[in-house]
Amino acid sequence: MSKTKAIFAGLLAGLLGGIVMTTLMLLLAAFGVATPLVIIGDRLSVFISPGPFLSLMGKVGGYNHLKQLGVGSTISGQLLVVAIGGMVFGLVARRYPARLSAMWTMSIFVLLPIIAFAIALWPVLGTSYLGLPIDVARLVTLVGFALCFFFFERTLVASFQFLTMRKVAKHDYEFTPAVGRRAFVLSAIGIVAAGGGAALARKLYRAATFSYDGTQYKGRIVEPITPNEMFYCVTKNVVDPRVDVDLWHLEVSGLVQNRATWRFQDLVDLPMREQQTTLMCISNGLDAGLISNALWKGVPLRDLLDRAAPLSNAARVRFHGVDNYTDTIPLEKAMEPTTLLAYEMNGAQLPDRHGYPLRAIVPGYFGEKHVKWLTRIELTDADAKGFYETQGWGPDFIAPTRSRIDVPEYDSRFSLGELKAPIEIKGISYGGDRGISRVELSFDDGNSWRDAKIYYAGGDLSWSLWKTEWTPDAAGDYVLAVRATDGEGDVQEFEEDRGWFSGISGLHKINVHITA
Ligand SMILES: Nc1nc2c(c(=O)[nH]1)N[C@H]1C(S)=C(S)[C@@H](COP(=O)(O)O)O[C@H]1N2
Ligand SMILES: [Mo]
């Protein structure tokens, strides 16, 4: 067999193996099993600090595009690696035909990758989009890896042997035309497998988070309680979990005297608490809508922690989602009666995208801490860090007081001659878990202020809605600004000492143009 033929056969066999393996990964993903296609991205993203992360996101056109780019490059990278691997394999097999033995190829192409992937991806192996407990999920993920690598290895070896086998018939010709025909057969198989993969990819794309990740709630439509379908949404996932509650459980572990696991029904049977709480993403801009308010029903976390009896060195609580998202809160915050494990949202079962069957509600802390699809609560020491915290967000995760003008829109125009009534100004103010005691409006860019009317007071944990009427005296360009005072008497302002990645503070302003 010539060198060229060995390389060519290896390349083709490797590519076919890669296509079969990728299709199998997509199939596993469709069943909620974690595959390298997404968890490599999860593993890597904690190493990208917020600055580069935001600029990368800006360059590719948003979080959704970044995720697509992530999966796309993982698939391409995977195919590139197997193509090169196939060529090297071709050359080695030509030199040392004995190396084609199953023992040898299995070790190189199955065992070795399993070990390498298990080590490199260890922290994210316990991911399950079906909601399996973390330790079971880790095993299932590894079995999935093994299956994928096994199919790769068998396809590679079988295709290579098929391409390079000698004809035992009369003419012992090696390359043409037989190998051409065989290559054709293999390519056809490859195209069929790739077609199957593409169909699965389309199905997964439709189920993916691209259609709703980044949903905002703002403007004229804002009501005191955000309807579930309109509640803002942020997820790190390409495809969100759809938890099977029969497979799922909640673990309480770490620095506790009594470890425990809870079935869903046992949690629901505990004394419950219902409260309105507003959530806001740490990345929410002054004029943006990554903020919403809902009525949550659930169990105070304290009730579970009391039973678990935290050890004296426990200082933080780490929440784990089934999607391998984690975040931490101080133990004192976890013990507040308003820190909940919620299973209902606005009177309905928690929707899938908002964390079914159970999520954390941590009033006054940024959305990041309200871990969805919760499956483990771990008591840890003071140094524990969460997903975004490891990236470098924070260190402050307590929401500053924020207000937004929802009506009128930025750059609105009104003509004095046509105005039949005063202009209505409306919006929201949010004071973390401190509540809102006062809202003021300015029509001269913050030089003078006058009170607005709070027409919906949401309580300490949720936003308040306010409005006022404005009759401009003269034509001109106006800058409207809003500021609130929280329940502790602190007036909303730009906080100079708040770090770059601890959420923005300051006042929302809009331009309004008044003509004669
Ligand atoms: N398990 C899990 N929980 C999570 C996230 C996630 O990606 N996975 N995203 C967090 C972020 S960044 C925010 S802002 C809130 C958003 O909650 P919502 O989508 O229900 O509004 O959930 C948080 N909890
Ligand atoms: Mo967020």
Side-chain angles (χ1 to χ4, degrees), residues 138-161:
R138 194 175 286 132
L139 202 69
V140 170
T141 306
L142 281 176
V143 170
F145 282 11
L147 265 179
C148 292
F149 299 142
F150 176 75
F151 269 74
F152 169 73
E153 184 270 351
R154 284 293 90 188
T155 311
L156 171 77
V157 173
S159 314
F160 187 78
Q161 281 171 336

Side-chain angles (χ1 to χ4, degrees), residues 232 234 280-283 367-368 388:
Y232 94 88
V234 177
M280 178 173 78
C281 179
I282 195 169
S283 72
E368 281 54 37
Y388 286 111

Side-chain angles (χ1 to χ4, degrees), residues 426-471:
K426 282 172 72 174
I428 56 142
S429 289
Y430 168 58
D433 61 354
R434 307 172 298 277
I436 291 294
S437 58
R438 182 182 190 189
V439 179
E440 295 165 281
L441 260 286
S442 170
F443 299 91
D444 53 9
D445 200 4
N447 286 313
S448 63
W449 295 93
R450 68 169 216 228
D451 279 299
K453 180 177 180 318
I454 295 177
Y455 70 92
Y456 176 78
D460 283 351
L461 314 181
S462 72
W463 65 21
S464 290
L465 272 48
W466 52 262
K467 62 182 168 190
T468 192
E469 290 181 338
W470 177 46
T471 313

Side-chain angles (χ1 to χ4, degrees), residues 282 393-396 494-505:
I282 195 169
W393 293 90
D396 189 356
F494 173 68
E495 300 171 13
E496 271 178 45
D497 47 355
R498 188 171 272 273
W500 274 88
F501 301 115
S502 294
I504 196 167
S505 63

